[in-house]
């Protein structure tokens, strides 16, 4: 078929054109509409670090595909963007470059905004937030004061994690493994006056809420459950006759109490110094304590199990036996009581420690089917039946825990206890680039909150930040010296700033009313939009951002400021785009692929299409120049096909051409692809298979057009062409918008309705069956759906390539997959 000359596909011209038009139209701006079902979709806001690369592009494209699809499905879609702008990285980069963090941050935000526009993501840019702007951190400070009024913010002296490189304090969640989450430096322990949020007050609600989040990955919920670490048990006492004292221990395995052969004591236990008075082991113990004094709690619990005998014994409360007390590195004073009963026969950690230090191992619980078991080579850690446990012999572990607890409680030396691994959130930082804590220190009245009408407490631009120890704000007299809001006397401002996770714990609510000067958000807006329906971001935020945001949201729910008490209904963790060397992209490795260079060479739509096709969105995959070149070829094919048959979109025919089964086959292909994409994007998010389905539809449309010169006159072909453009639009928004305009359509393709599939088109009179002989493909037949194995076999015998393989041979068995395949095994 002869066709008119078709202009070449030039994404570098098309894409800027449509980005400009969308912005001029404010096409993606959204408002509350009670008549429409809302859909609030969000990607975790990026840190304002400078340049975005193709890994970032994957994340934002993923969200954009879902947002555009939902909008075409009739939802009122909220899809905003902002910048996490406070924090150590900006301050460190500014010190290194000799510039100001504010200037560095603003320049980065401007560049990243440009790149996100270039990526073609349909954000509502009227709602953008910058967490380092006074208009934003005014409300971060307001929320701090809310916590303070509710008794959830407090200041106390406590051992903290100190990063000597970044010269600041870290929360426990930011010092996992004993290293700084940002720079990897080994952290130290220091005793400092710090601000905390009482997250432990919400421990049970944080735990219970996870059971009401079916849309979250199970591994993230497991990580949060483990971090909260709720354990039910009993706290009871061992007397120490030589010191005229007693020591409390907590256990969840009271059924093993008769197996106690030592007590492990934390090196900073408050009773330790009393135990060392007149003790011949005191020098040895103090030397051991000094050696591990600089280790963090997390670091101590993860290193080799070390300890020294404390030179004193306790008395077992049930047997009266002498129990040696050891000072160890693996017991921490902040969990439980700071003392642990050592039961080597039934605890792996205790077993390891006992073997190292030649401590007795006493088996008191045995497997139900092995009453002669003795823990020689390994401990028995499961429930079982008690033995060598006095009057409790023969009880199951469950019954024994209950019965022994009753005994200890009746004696007045035990009580049922619930413990948590979760610690209160340490939110103060000794750095400049963060939201100032709105508290004044008055000599007469102590800690006094700044009145709300005096917010924000502004961060002074002229602070001398150098990265040395201490808060830079301490060196700004005009900031520090103030008056007490309560008495008007001289006072000093708090000079610590807030953890940057403060800002990201509520930003998704500020999007709802980003310009409101009366409140952090409008309540009516929150009760329309919240919670976030679909949240996309990395799994690395499981026990920091996601935990903190859930805590914040529950506090706000208690204040009736938000609906429900969970902020994110569905959570999706995207995978990484790796360098071509299969390593994570980073500037230090020199394997970063930038958005700008990729757009200049291939176009943004090709980048988006490749990244959605390269693999399931939750998996990692390496960057591939071959893959993105393939995406470019696919878009060129779409361009040529649509422009060649543009009249089929301009003036779609109303009747099918006289092409019989060919039209029926094409109609089936169209509607099966519409159904597949509707299901995949809306539910399973297998966007890579969606691209594969679109490619199959493209193949079918090209094949139909090649075989039928009157393709443009076929209503079926025209419907297929329309469906192809509409379904490709969320993935490749620029090329589809251009083709839609060239087809004479008056509205944006992204404002059109998503195509609907016809169930009747999916009911086929004949379907293909693959025929194999001895596992090798030998042909394909067509038969009615639901055909029996015998019926398919009879038809298969009429296929020459099949019958040639069967001649003179015996059919030993057949393997039949209904409506799909028949494998004939011969010999």
């Amino acid at each position: 078929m002869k066709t008119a000359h078709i202009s070449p596909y030039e994404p570098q011209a098309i894409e800027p054109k449509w980005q400009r038009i969308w912005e001029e139209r404010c096409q993606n701006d959204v408002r509350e509409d009670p008549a429409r079902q809302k859909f609030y979709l969000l990607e975790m806001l990026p840190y304002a670090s400078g340049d975005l690369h193709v890994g970032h592009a994957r994340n934002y494209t993923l969200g954009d595909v879902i947002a555009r699809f939902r909008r075409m499905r009739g939802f009122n879609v909220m899809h905003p963007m902002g910048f996490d702008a406070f924090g150590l990285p900006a301050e460190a980069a500014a010190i290194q470059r000799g510039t100001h963090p504010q200037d560095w941050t603003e320049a980065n935000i401007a560049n990243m905004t440009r790149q996100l526009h270039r990526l073609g993501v349909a954000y509502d840019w009227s709602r953008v937030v910058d967490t380092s702007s006074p208009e934003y951190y005014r409300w971060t400070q307001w929320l701090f004061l809310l916590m303070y009024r509710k008794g959830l913010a407090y200041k106390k002296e406590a051992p903290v994690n100190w990063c000597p490189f970044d010269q600041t304090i870290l929360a426990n969640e930011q010092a996992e493994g004993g290293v700084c989450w940002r720079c990897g430096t080994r952290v130290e322990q220091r005793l400092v006056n710090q601000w905390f949020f009482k997250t432990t007050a919400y421990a049970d609600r944080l735990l219970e809420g996870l059971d009401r989040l079916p849309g979250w990955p199970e591994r993230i919920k497991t990580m949060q459950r483990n971090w909260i670490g709720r354990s039910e048990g009993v706290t009871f006492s061992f007397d120490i006759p030589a010191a005229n004292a007693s020591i409390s221990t907590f256990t969840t395995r009271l059924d093993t109490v008769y197996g106690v052969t030592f007590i492990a004591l934390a090196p900073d236990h408050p009773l330790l110094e009393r135990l060392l008075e007149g003790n011949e082991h005191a020098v040895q113990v103090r030397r051991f304590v000094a050696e591990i004094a600089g280790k963090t709690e997390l670091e101590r619990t993860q290193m080799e199990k070390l300890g020294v005998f404390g030179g004193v014994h306790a008395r077992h409360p049930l047997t009266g036996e002498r129990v040696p007390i050891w000072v160890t590195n693996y017991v921490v004073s902040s969990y439980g009581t700071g003392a642990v009963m050592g039961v080597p026969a039934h605890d792996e950690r205790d077993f390891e420690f006992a073997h190292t230090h030649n401590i007795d191992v006493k088996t008191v619980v045995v497997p139900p089917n092995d009453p002669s078991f003795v823990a020689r080579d390994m401990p028995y850690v499961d429930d079982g039946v008690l033995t060598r446990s006095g009057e409790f012999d023969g009880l199951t572990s469950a019954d024994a825990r209950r019965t022994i607890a009753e005994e200890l409680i009746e004696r007045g030396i035990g009580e049922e206890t619930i413990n948590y691994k979760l610690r209160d959130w340490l939110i103060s930082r000794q750095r400049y680039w963060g939201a100032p804590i709105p508290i004044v220190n008055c000599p007469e009245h102590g800690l006094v909150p700044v009145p709300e009408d005096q917010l924000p407490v502004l961060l002074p631009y002229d602070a001398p930040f150098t990265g040395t120890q201490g808060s830079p704000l301490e060196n700004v007299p005009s900031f520090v010296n103030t008056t007490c809001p309560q008495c008007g006397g001289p006072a000093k401002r708090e000079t610590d700033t807030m953890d940057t996770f403060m800002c990201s714990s509520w930003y998704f609510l500020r999007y709802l009313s980003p310009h409101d000067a009366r409140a952090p958000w409008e309540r009516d807006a929150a009760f329309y939009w919240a919670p976030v329906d679909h949240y996309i971001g990395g799994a690395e935020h499981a026990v920091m951002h996601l935990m903190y945001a859930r805590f914040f949201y529950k506090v706000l729910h208690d204040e009736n400021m938000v609906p429900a008490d969970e902020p994110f209904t569905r959570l999706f963790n995207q995978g990484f785009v790796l360098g071509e060397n299969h390593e994570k992209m980073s500037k230090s490795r020199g394997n970063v692929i930038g958005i700008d260079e990729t757009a200049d060479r291939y176009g943004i739509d090709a980048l988006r299409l490749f990244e959605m096709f390269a693999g399931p969105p939750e998996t990692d995959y390496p960057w591939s120049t071959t893959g993105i070149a393939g995406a470019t070829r696919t878009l060129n094919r779409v361009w040529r096909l649509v422009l060649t048959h543009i009249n089929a979109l301009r003036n779609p025919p109303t009747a099918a051409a006289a092409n019989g089964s060919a039209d029926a086959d094409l109609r089936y292909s169209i509607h099966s692809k519409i159904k597949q994409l509707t299901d995949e994007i809306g539910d399973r998010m297998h966007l890579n298979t969606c691209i594969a389905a679109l490619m199959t539809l493209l193949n079918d449309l090209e094949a139909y057009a090649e075989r039928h010169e009157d393709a443009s006159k076929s209503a079926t072909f025209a419907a297929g062409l329309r469906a192809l453009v509409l379904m490709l639009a969320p993935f490749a928004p620029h090329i589809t918008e251009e083709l839609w305009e060239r087809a004479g359509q008056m509205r944006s393709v992204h404002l059109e309705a998503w195509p609907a599939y016809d169930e009747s088109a999916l009911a086929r009179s004949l379907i293909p069956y693959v025929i194999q002989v001895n596992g090798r493909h030998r042909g394909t037949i067509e038969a009615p759906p639901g055909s029996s194995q015998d019926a398919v076999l009879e038809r298969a015998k009429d296929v020459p390539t099949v019958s040639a393989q069967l001649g003179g041979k015996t059919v030993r068995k057949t393997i039949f997959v209904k409506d799909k395949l028949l494998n004939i095994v011969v010999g």
Side-chain angles (χ1 to χ4, degrees):
M1 178 177 64
K2 293 183 179 179
T3 59
H5 172 71
I6 295 174
S7 59
Y9 169 49
E10 296 178 337
Q12 288 77 12
I14 292 169
E15 291 168 357
K17 165 191 168 181
W18 285 108
Q19 290 158 15
R20 184 179 63 256
I21 291 173
W22 294 332
E23 188 171 2
E24 290 171 352
R25 291 176 178 170
C26 299
Q27 182 164 305
N28 303 310
D29 290 5
V30 66
R31 297 294 178 266
E32 294 83 48
D33 184 353
R36 297 172 63 197
Q37 184 176 350
K38 67 93 178 180
F39 189 81
Y40 187 1
L41 181 137
L42 200 60
E43 303 95 45
M44 293 181 185
L45 82 173
Y47 191 77
S49 57
D51 265 334
L52 298 175
H53 57 66
V54 294
H56 299 107
R58 181 192 191 189
N59 188 30
Y60 305 134
T61 300
L62 173 61
D64 193 47
V65 169
I66 298 168
R68 290 180 182 276
F69 165 77
R70 290 285 182 175
R71 193 173 287 122
M72 294 175 78
R73 293 276 289 170
F75 288 85
N76 192 26
V77 177
M78 163 79 81
H79 191 206
M81 173 49 66
F83 299 94
D84 193 8
F86 270 144
L88 282 172
E91 187 167 339
I95 292 170
Q96 183 181 356
R97 291 165 174 78
T99 185
H100 195 281
Q102 180 177 325
D103 300 336
W104 187 81
T105 299
E106 288 176 354
N108 288 343
I109 288 175
N111 183 57
M112 293 168 71
T113 299
R114 176 191 62 79
Q115 289 183 303
L116 289 167
H117 275 285
R118 189 171 191 184
L119 195 58
V121 184
Y123 292 130
D124 180 351
W125 285 105
S126 71
R127 296 176 181 270
V128 68
V129 300
D130 165 6
T131 64
S132 68
S133 70
E135 293 79 17
Y136 184 92
Y137 71 73
R138 167 192 178 185
W139 298 110
T140 302
Q141 293 172 342
W142 186 91
L143 289 166
F144 174 94
L145 295 178
L146 172 65
M147 298 285 188
Y148 189 78
R149 288 196 306 272
K150 288 178 67 67
L152 296 172
Y154 65 93
K155 192 173 189 180
K156 73 168 185 178
E157 189 175 65
V160 296
N161 306 304
W162 175 265
C163 175
F165 182 84
D166 285 330
Q167 294 286 301
T168 195
I169 287 169
L170 306 172
N172 284 341
E173 294 86 346
Q174 297 166 332
E176 284 194 83
V179 298
C180 174
W181 71 285
R182 199 193 72 82
C183 66
T185 302
R186 180 71 55 186
V187 301
E188 303 169 354
Q189 287 279 284
R190 293 192 178 183
L191 199 62
V192 183
N193 237 356
Q194 292 299 308
W195 283 97
F196 294 84
F197 279 170
K198 201 176 291 185
T199 47
T200 52
Y202 283 74
D204 279 329
R205 288 175 60 184
L206 288 167
L207 194 61
E208 178 275 329
L210 294 170
D211 296 331
R212 294 183 282 106
L213 293 174
W216 278 42
E218 198 57 44
R219 63 170 178 155
I220 299 297
K221 293 193 287 186
T222 298
M223 290 169 72
Q224 290 210 1
R225 288 188 184 104
N226 291 341
W227 194 260
I228 295 167
R230 186 182 193 272
S231 53
E232 299 181 13
V234 173
T235 299
F236 66 100
S237 300
F238 289 78
D239 287 337
I240 308 173
N244 193 26
S246 64
I247 191 165
S248 295
T249 65
F250 168 80
T251 182
T252 61
R253 289 297 307 271
L254 197 57
D255 55 316
T256 67
V257 68
Y258 279 81
V260 173
T261 58
F262 71 98
I263 293 174
L265 199 67
D268 52 351
H269 193 287
L271 189 61
L272 181 58
E273 279 303 315
R274 183 174 173 183
L275 299 182
L276 295 180
E277 292 175 3
N279 188 328
E280 63 182 23
H281 293 267
V283 173
Q284 178 186 359
V285 173
R286 289 193 176 102
R287 183 186 303 119
F288 173 76
V289 171
E291 287 173 355
I292 62 174
K295 307 292 185 184
T296 68
E297 288 186 353
L298 284 168
E299 189 176 10
R300 279 165 38 201
T301 58
Q302 293 170 359
M303 63 191 293
E304 180 188 358
K305 307 299 181 284
L306 303 174
V308 292
F309 175 50
V312 67
H313 291 76
R315 184 168 56 214
H316 195 292
L318 296 176
T319 68
E321 296 173 346
R322 280 162 45 95
V323 180
I325 297 176
W326 285 71
V327 180
T328 70
N329 65 340
Y330 65 86
V331 178
V332 296
S333 59
S334 62
Y335 178 74
T337 66
V340 173
M341 67 179 206
V343 188
H346 305 291
D347 181 274
E348 291 179 355
R349 182 182 62 179
D350 294 346
F351 186 84
E352 176 189 341
F353 187 81
H355 271 258
T356 302
H357 297 284
N358 296 314
I359 299 173
D360 290 344
V361 177
K362 182 181 178 182
T363 303
V364 295
V365 177
V366 295
N369 58 354
D370 187 6
S372 62
F373 173 84
V374 177
R376 291 192 181 91
D377 300 321
M378 65 180 63
Y380 178 68
V381 299
D382 295 329
D383 279 5
V385 178
L386 269 64
T387 184
R388 300 173 69 190
S389 298
E391 62 187 280
F392 306 104
D393 278 3
L395 293 180
T396 64
S397 288
D399 288 342
R401 283 192 287 269
R402 182 176 61 255
T403 306
I404 297 173
E406 291 171 353
E407 175 72 17
L408 293 174
I409 293 169
E410 185 176 334
R411 292 191 189 187
I413 58 172
E415 62 178 355
E416 293 181 339
T417 309
I418 298 174
N419 273 331
Y420 301 89
K421 291 180 180 178
L422 181 69
R423 295 292 169 262
D424 284 344
W425 175 15
L426 193 162
I427 63 106
S428 49
R429 298 291 181 269
Q430 294 65 49
R431 298 307 296 243
Y432 165 72
W433 193 235
I437 294 175
I439 293 289
V440 168
N441 294 281
C442 173
E444 183 175 349
H445 295 100
L447 299 176
V448 181
V450 174
E452 291 180 9
D453 60 5
Q454 294 181 22
L455 299 179
V457 176
L458 291 170
L459 197 62
Y461 187 86
D462 57 349
F465 53 93
T466 61
T468 57
Q469 185 172 343
S471 170
L473 296 179
E474 293 176 346
N475 302 311
V476 185
S478 60
F479 175 83
V480 174
N481 298 318
T482 185
T483 56
C484 173
Q486 189 166 332
C487 67
K492 294 187 180 298
R493 290 194 188 279
E494 174 65 67
T495 56
D496 284 357
T497 54
M498 291 186 239
D499 181 6
T500 185
F501 283 101
M502 276 283 296
C503 306
S504 58
S505 292
W506 71 279
Y507 77 99
F508 48 91
L509 292 167
R510 186 59 178 171
Y511 283 140
L512 310 184
S513 314
H515 311 295
D516 195 329
R518 300 163 301 169
W521 58 85
E522 293 178 12
R523 187 178 181 279
D524 288 348
F527 276 74
Y528 176 78
W529 290 112
V532 175
D533 295 285
H534 201 140
Y535 199 32
I536 300 172
E540 66 272 19
H541 298 291
V543 295
M544 287 193 285
H545 163 60
L546 290 171
M547 186 79 82
Y548 299 149
R550 292 183 62 227
F551 163 70
F552 251 77
Y553 204 77
K554 290 180 186 299
V555 174
L556 297 171
H557 178 254
D558 290 347
E559 295 294 299
N560 199 29
M561 296 175 68
V562 293
D565 69 342
E566 287 292 344
F568 314 117
T569 302
R570 184 177 184 183
L571 174 68
F572 185 84
N573 301 134
Q574 85 287 350
F576 290 108
V577 178
L578 308 175
E580 290 190 281
N581 56 2
H582 292 256
E583 293 182 342
K584 188 176 178 180
M585 286 191 186
S586 71
K587 292 179 181 177
S588 61
R589 293 191 179 101
N591 63 350
V592 171
I593 308 294
I595 289 177
D596 289 328
E597 61 189 87
T598 306
D600 290 342
R601 183 173 181 183
Y602 299 102
I604 283 295
D605 281 347
L607 169 63
R608 292 170 58 113
L609 197 68
F610 162 68
E611 295 210 303
M612 295 300 97
F613 179 61
E618 69 275 13
T619 62
D620 301 342
Y621 61 75
W623 178 257
S624 168
T625 52
T626 302
I628 194 170
T632 302
R633 289 193 296 272
T634 297
L635 292 175
N636 269 293
R637 287 170 57 199
V638 171
W639 181 263
R640 289 193 300 271
L641 178 69
V642 173
L643 290 186
T644 299
H645 302 280
I646 198 72
N647 284 334
L649 290 181
R650 282 200 188 109
N651 303 294
T654 56
N659 294 319
S661 63
D663 270 50
D665 289 344
L666 182 59
R667 188 166 182 262
Y668 174 82
S669 175
I670 295 165
H671 288 271
S672 65
K673 303 306 181 294
I674 295 173
K675 184 180 188 306
Q676 181 179 348
L677 265 74
T678 303
D679 294 342
E680 296 286 11
I681 303 177
D683 183 19
R684 294 184 290 272
M685 287 184 62
H686 295 166
L687 303 190
N688 55 317
T689 63
C690 292
I691 304 292
L694 288 171
M695 290 177 175
T696 301
L697 178 57
L698 174 61
N699 292 339
D700 292 345
L701 289 167
E702 287 177 327
Y704 184 96
E706 183 68 26
R707 292 194 302 267
H708 304 96
E709 290 191 6
D710 60 350
S712 295
K713 299 178 181 178
S714 165
T716 304
F717 178 80
L721 209 59
R722 177 185 174 86
L724 176 67
V725 174
L726 290 174
M727 291 192 292
L728 183 60
F731 298 91
H734 306 89
I735 187 174
T736 50
E737 191 78 286
E738 180 71 18
L739 291 171
W740 202 244
E741 181 191 56
R742 294 194 183 199
Q745 306 297 325
M746 302 303 294
R747 291 204 316 166
S748 167
V749 70
H750 304 293
L751 300 179
E752 294 291 338
W754 183 259
Y757 59 88
D758 184 347
E759 287 283 359
S760 66
L762 302 178
R764 307 190 70 186
S765 58
L766 296 175
I767 61 174
Y769 287 78
V770 173
I771 308 301
Q772 297 177 340
V773 178
N774 290 340
R776 300 188 64 180
H777 183 272
R778 294 300 181 183
T780 302
I781 67 162
E782 288 193 333
S787 293
S788 68
Q789 175 178 308
D790 291 341
V792 174
L793 178 59
E794 287 305 310
R795 291 199 181 203
K797 290 177 180 178
D798 295 333
V799 178
T801 53
V802 174
S803 60
Q805 299 295 319
L806 302 182
K809 298 176 182 176
T810 302
V811 177
R812 298 191 178 279
K813 70 173 181 177
T814 55
I815 300 169
F816 182 63
V817 181
K818 185 180 178 180
D819 291 343
K820 291 184 181 295
L821 174 146
L822 175 68
N823 181 19
I824 307 167
V825 181
V826 298

